[in-house]
Amino acid sequence: MELSRRTLIAGGFAAMLGTTVGCSSSMDTGSTKKNAGGNIAMWCWPGGLGKTVLDDTIAHFPDQHIKYSEVGGDFKQKLLTTLNGGTAIPDITGIKGEDIASMLPQANRFVDLKSIGADSILGDYLEWKVKQATTLDGKVLGIPIDIGPTALFYREDVFTAGGLPGDPAKVAGQLKTWDDFLAAGVELKMSNPKAFIVADATDLYGTIVNQGTARYIDKDNKFIGDQDHIRKAWDTAVKAVTLKVDGKTLGGSPDWNAGLDQGTVPTVTGAAWVALDIKAACKTSVGKWRVAPTPSGPANFGGSFLAITKNAADPAAALEVIKYMLSADNEAKAFADAQIFPATPAAYDKPQLKAADPFFGGQVPIEVFGPAAKSIPIAYEAPLDSAIAVPFTDGLKLVQAGKKSSDAAWSEAVAKAKQIGKRQGVQ
């Protein structure tokens, strides 16, 4: 759960251009031959599961002989290759949140968890997250491992020195909308010209899109990327550039890491797991960071699932393993292990999540992230959404660099996005 997770999500937009096409053309070629009984093979990626929980689960089910494999690199591609090959297919596999939409058209490769009794536990998890793993005809492919609710991480010392409020409640009261946030950025920059309240306008754009209930393609497979909800996100990102409060500092870059500690990147709008990245980058600003609600409402980045393949020897037994591993108690333990943020609200009252955090000046972050997790809007995510987002973020980079006007870049982005969609049958 390091910044590579964040980078992977952003970079996944580009990767999707290739993998989505490949997925759709190969979705029916995998073998459904059952695995041999007596063992449960489980796949996940490094950091995807809490080690304590994993070890405990393996010990809790001695008769299942769980064989866990940590699969590095391009996890999705390795899973698809294995499914296509028809051998050594895991009984239980992780699916990353950024990949789940592209897996839904391949539902025939996974067990509909509702068909083996998962109905009884689905209500334990956040409804919007379960929806992400649900096909349009109601099949549920995965149980949520974790989620990535967003918040505004900010430097309390930089804010107060610049005339802005420092207390999280007062920050929440003043920065209710993105317009409020950008206005605060102008005020901050007047007193501290090196402090940019927006680290990167393209990141801001992605956050605003994720705050909405619609993205680039609707449930009827129609392109809606040229409509007001996307244009509003675009215009807000451009406004940050125009007001000169955009630091143009790519998340995870050396400049971003240095700026967090130096105060030139005084805010990060990011998922709960981004706290690990901020903490890793900061040596001198420990205790000076705070957390407040995301302006204009929460969004989600990341989060993942455990699914059961059609090749599983005993799907019912595999589901029992998943139910145990992803119980509220164990999701709380995974948070303590590796900041894997729980997808089941019952975990938010566990001691592991109620602890004050010295890095955030003794603040209790779950008091911000908990309500955010419960308020994330349900949005339909099409398999091609990530690929279609690429022309828009590329276009914003041209605006940032002063190489194109906003209107010219927008028109070009819409045209390219439509072409990508049309090639894949989007209307």
Side-chain angles (χ1 to χ4, degrees), residues 42-45 48-61 66-70 306 321 324-325 330 333-334 337:
M42 180 188 297
W43 279 20
C44 204
W45 49 89
L49 299 167
K51 186 177 185 310
T52 301
V53 173
L54 179 61
D55 291 345
D56 178 57
T57 301
I58 292 172
H60 189 79
F61 293 95
I66 298 171
K67 296 178 66 175
Y68 174 70
S69 297
E70 191 170 88
L306 284 179
V321 170
Y324 179 81
M325 177 173 273
N330 279 332
K333 290 177 183 175
D337 261 3

Side-chain angles (χ1 to χ4, degrees), residues 13 200-212 215-216 233-234 237 299-301 389 393 396:
F13 295 164
D200 183 76
T202 60
D203 275 354
L204 174 62
Y205 168 79
T207 299
I208 298 171
V209 171
N210 276 7
Q211 286 176 312
R215 297 184 182 176
Y216 301 96
W234 174 281
N300 178 74
F301 280 93
T393 52
L396 282 170

Side-chain angles (χ1 to χ4, degrees), residues 152-155 159 181 196-199 260 265-269 289:
L152 174 67
F153 300 93
Y154 68 96
R155 284 280 296 269
F159 267 34
F181 181 71
F196 294 88
I197 203 164
V198 176
L260 295 173
V265 180
T267 75
V268 176
T269 304
W289 285 88

Side-chain angles (χ1 to χ4, degrees), residues 398-415:
L398 294 174
V399 177
Q400 278 183 310
K403 294 182 178 178
K404 282 201 181 249
S405 70
S406 173
D407 285 344
W410 167 262
S411 297
E412 186 174 289
V414 169

Side-chain angles (χ1 to χ4, degrees), residues 9-326:
I9 291 171
F13 295 164
M16 284 289 291
L17 281 167
T19 56
T20 302
V21 176
C23 295
S24 60
S25 64
S26 61
M27 65 176 66
D28 295 323
T29 59
S31 166
T32 53
K33 180 182 177 182
K34 292 290 185 182
N35 293 339
N39 299 298
I40 289 181
M42 180 188 297
W43 279 20
C44 204
W45 49 89
L49 299 167
K51 186 177 185 310
T52 301
V53 173
L54 179 61
D55 291 345
D56 178 57
T57 301
I58 292 172
H60 189 79
F61 293 95
D63 296 338
Q64 300 298 343
H65 305 104
I66 298 171
K67 296 178 66 175
Y68 174 70
S69 297
E70 191 170 88
V71 180
D74 188 338
F75 184 87
K76 175 188 171 185
Q77 193 54 51
K78 290 179 179 178
L79 176 62
L80 290 174
T81 299
T82 302
L83 288 170
N84 287 337
T87 59
I89 296 173
D91 299 78
I92 298 173
T93 182
I95 298 177
K96 294 183 179 181
E98 57 268 33
D99 296 331
I100 190 69
S102 66
M103 290 292 186
L104 296 181
Q106 309 192 55
N108 63 319
R109 290 178 155 177
F110 300 95
V111 174
D112 173 12
L113 300 181
K114 292 173 70 175
S115 71
I116 55 173
D119 267 335
S120 63
I121 61 165
L122 293 179
D124 296 342
Y125 301 88
L126 291 158
E127 180 185 6
W128 61 265
K129 191 63 179 175
V130 174
K131 285 277 188 184
Q132 287 183 347
T134 304
T135 63
L136 289 176
D137 61 355
K139 296 184 179 69
V140 175
L141 304 193
I143 302 296
I145 299 173
D146 66 329
I147 60 173
T150 63
L152 174 67
F153 300 93
Y154 68 96
R155 284 280 296 269
E156 186 266 351
D157 57 328
V158 176
F159 267 34
T160 54
L164 301 177
D167 178 74
K170 291 181 179 178
V171 169
Q174 182 167 330
L175 308 186
K176 291 181 179 177
T177 68
W178 289 117
D179 283 341
D180 296 336
F181 181 71
L182 297 181
V186 173
E187 184 178 347
L188 178 63
K189 196 147 180 281
M190 288 176 65
S191 62
N192 184 352
K194 294 183 179 179
F196 294 88
I197 203 164
V198 176
D200 183 76
T202 60
D203 275 354
L204 174 62
Y205 168 79
T207 299
I208 298 171
V209 171
N210 276 7
Q211 286 176 312
T213 56
R215 297 184 182 176
Y216 301 96
I217 302 169
D218 68 13
K219 289 182 179 179
D220 295 323
N221 203 33
K222 292 181 179 178
F223 179 78
I224 55 173
D226 56 352
Q227 296 186 5
D228 288 348
H229 63 290
I230 298 298
R231 182 66 199 230
K232 185 178 178 182
W234 174 281
D235 286 343
T236 302
V238 170
K239 186 176 180 180
V241 177
T242 304
L243 291 175
K244 302 184 187 307
V245 297
D246 171 28
K248 304 174 187 175
T249 307
L250 182 66
S253 66
D255 286 345
W256 185 82
N257 284 324
L260 295 173
D261 222 10
Q262 295 167 358
T264 54
V265 180
T267 75
V268 176
T269 304
W273 45 265
V274 174
L276 287 179
D277 307 320
I278 299 173
K279 290 177 178 179
C282 293
K283 307 301 179 189
T284 63
S285 56
V286 175
K288 298 177 180 178
W289 285 88
R290 301 289 185 273
V291 186
T294 310
S296 296
N300 178 74
F301 280 93
S304 50
F305 303 86
L306 284 179
I308 300 173
T309 67
K310 279 284 182 68
N311 305 78
D314 188 345
L319 180 62
E320 289 305 311
V321 170
I322 292 176
K323 286 165 64 175
Y324 179 81
M325 177 173 273
L326 303 182

